[in-house]
Amino acid sequence: HLAVSHGCGAVTEAWAEAGTALIAWAATAFTTAAFVTYEQVHPHDAFGATMVKNIAARGCPLQAIMSFPDCEAQARRYREAGWGACECVTMRELFDAWTPEAEKARVGRVE
């Protein structure tokens, strides 16, 4: 089984608790499963601070990002919710590891 999520409780602390409950449920509901989620991290670096500010300005403050601000906190969240193994990577790490060099060069020219 594969569960895919975008932001398990990223908007409010109450949603963060519900998101963690969903993560825990998925850990016990299936004998073999993978849970892939796309969460915001690093709210204190330049990009993250801008992201948090811009999303808050649109009426969706990312309050739970402070509870799980980095990959270590995200991985701990999953392990404490019952997942035996957890790997967390940033989009930059994923891009660097899996994107062909030609595509990296193309993207670099766009920016």
Side-chain angles (χ1 to χ4, degrees):
H1 296 91
L2 174 65
V4 179
S5 158
H6 180 275
C8 252
V11 179
T12 67
E13 286 301 324
W15 277 102
E17 292 172 14
T20 299
L22 174 65
I23 292 165
W25 170 82
T28 60
F30 308 105
T31 56
T32 303
F35 200 116
V36 178
T37 188
Y38 182 72
E39 285 279 359
Q40 298 88 354
V41 292
H42 302 296
H44 303 295
D45 67 16
F47 178 85
T50 300
M51 172 189 62
V52 169
K53 181 180 173 186
N54 285 342
I55 293 173
R58 289 165 175 71
C60 298
L62 297 175
Q63 296 172 7
I65 194 172
M66 301 308 171
S67 296
F68 311 105
D70 54 33
C71 284
E72 181 179 314
Q74 286 289 345
R76 185 172 49 254
R77 177 188 196 188
Y78 280 77
R79 285 191 304 272
E80 289 175 358
W83 288 86
C86 181
E87 183 175 350
C88 182
V89 296
T90 66
M91 289 302 291
R92 170 54 68 186
E93 292 166 335
L94 191 66
F95 178 83
D96 289 347
W98 290 92
T99 305
E101 292 302 319
E103 180 64 7
K104 289 177 188 175
R106 187 191 71 78
V107 170
R109 289 189 302 273
V110 171
E111 294 178 3

